[in-house]
Amino acid sequence: MRSVTRTLGLSSAAMGLTALTALAGSGAAGAAPAGGESLYAPSALVLSVTDGEDAVGGTVLRAVTLVCAPRPGGTHPDPEAACAELQAHAPDLDALAEPRPDAACTREWSPLTVTAEGVWQGRRMSYSYTYANPCALWNSTGAAFTI
Amino acid sequence: MRSVTRTLGLSSAAMGLTALTALAGSGAAGAAPAGGESLYAPSALVLSVTDGEDAVGGTVLRAVTLVCAPRPGGTHPDPEAACAELQAHAPDLDALAEPRPDAACTREWSPLTVTAEGVWQGRRMSYSYTYANPCALWNSTGAAFTI
């Protein structure tokens, strides 16, 4: 249950932004994408589980996509629950990553590292959390990382 | 047309791996995911366009997801073409990011930075390329970054 690396690419200044104000403030007029403008600040994430405590160099066991606007989707097994959790807690995902206090897990050190990276409401996100063993991950508080 | 940052998280050693051998070598037996094992090494990417030359701190204008197995999908506008390009060129995406030699663009400096991050065939990927201006991006060789 040790958090080895934890980086939050989202600045706290971004927290109060709604999707519309974030887009309006982006100065994007000169860079209109080929597909037309969206009414939502972009959000697109990859959530992954890596063997070991090295999220960058380790072997990735699972990786799913998650989008939350205009509706939850992606290859995540439960995008509705994951999006609700992210909307409640992002950018600090510890509240949904940490194992439940009542989880009955051993202290065996067989680490797994989860990551959430990509873009959340127009800002880059890079989050990771390392669990002591698979039991701790499968007993995490939220649904976002049980992929 | 200046490449300001370019990081390749994929090691060249990963290039020869097939999906099955990558999975077989992952030592994942003790960390079986809740959803069951996949026959494919995980691939899940977020492709984005950021205003300016700072991919980390800049405002993200567009972000899409891309998955390529078992079939192309995600919110990318042309996942079939993007997956074909990635399968031909990853991890070095310069061949599909660079503007076409015959592109008729001015030299105006109004930079946009594209990124591809997430997981490609079981290995973490982090790629970025900065264009001098939107014209250079919309005239990039491949379809992957015209999102």
Side-chain angles (χ1 to χ4, degrees):
Chain A
M1 278 184 252
R2 191 161 63 107
S3 180
V4 173
T5 60
R6 186 188 308 165
T7 56
L8 296 171
L10 278 162
S11 72
S12 58
M15 292 297 291
L17 292 175
T18 67
L20 280 170
T21 57
L23 188 67
S26 69
E37 289 291 357
S38 163
L39 286 175
Y40 304 90
S43 292
L45 294 171
V46 169
L47 280 68
S48 73
V49 178
T50 298
D51 192 24
E53 55 188 304
D54 176 8
V56 176
T59 297
V60 183
L61 306 179
R62 301 275 289 173
V64 299
T65 59
L66 180 69
V67 293
C68 296
R71 62 193 65 82
T75 58
H76 192 287
D78 191 348
E80 289 79 10
C83 286
E85 292 172 1
L86 279 162
Q87 275 151 2
H89 294 287
D92 184 356
L93 305 188
D94 282 358
L96 55 104
E98 287 172 344
R100 290 195 304 270
D102 62 347
C105 294
T106 66
R107 290 173 173 271
E108 176 198 9
W109 183 244
S110 175
L112 292 176
T113 300
V114 297
T115 65
E117 58 186 327
V119 178
W120 179 254
Q121 295 184 350
R123 298 277 173 175
R124 203 154 298 276
M125 172 180 255
S126 179
Y127 174 86
S128 72
Y129 189 93
T130 296
Y131 297 88
N133 53 55
C135 173
L137 168 56
W138 307 136
N139 285 281
S140 62
T141 306
F145 293 112
T146 52
I147 56 179
Chain B
M1 280 184 249
R2 190 161 62 106
S3 180
V4 173
T5 59
R6 185 189 309 166
T7 55
L8 297 172
L10 279 163
S11 71
S12 58
M15 292 298 290
L17 290 176
T18 68
L20 280 171
T21 57
L23 190 68
S26 70
E37 289 291 0
S38 163
L39 286 177
Y40 304 91
S43 291
L45 294 171
V46 170
L47 280 68
S48 73
V49 178
T50 299
D51 192 23
E53 54 189 302
D54 176 6
V56 175
T59 298
V60 183
L61 306 178
R62 300 274 288 174
V64 299
T65 59
L66 180 68
V67 294
C68 296
R71 61 192 66 80
T75 59
H76 191 287
D78 191 348
E80 289 79 9
C83 286
E85 292 173 2
L86 280 161
Q87 276 150 1
H89 293 287
D92 184 357
L93 305 187
D94 282 358
L96 54 105
E98 287 173 345
R100 290 195 303 270
D102 62 347
C105 294
T106 67
R107 289 173 175 272
E108 176 197 11
W109 184 246
S110 175
L112 293 176
T113 300
V114 298
T115 64
E117 58 187 328
V119 178
W120 178 255
Q121 295 184 349
R123 299 278 170 172
R124 202 155 299 278
M125 173 180 253
S126 178
Y127 175 87
S128 73
Y129 189 94
T130 296
Y131 297 88
N133 53 56
C135 172
L137 168 55
W138 306 139
N139 283 281
S140 61
T141 307
F145 293 112
T146 52
I147 55 177

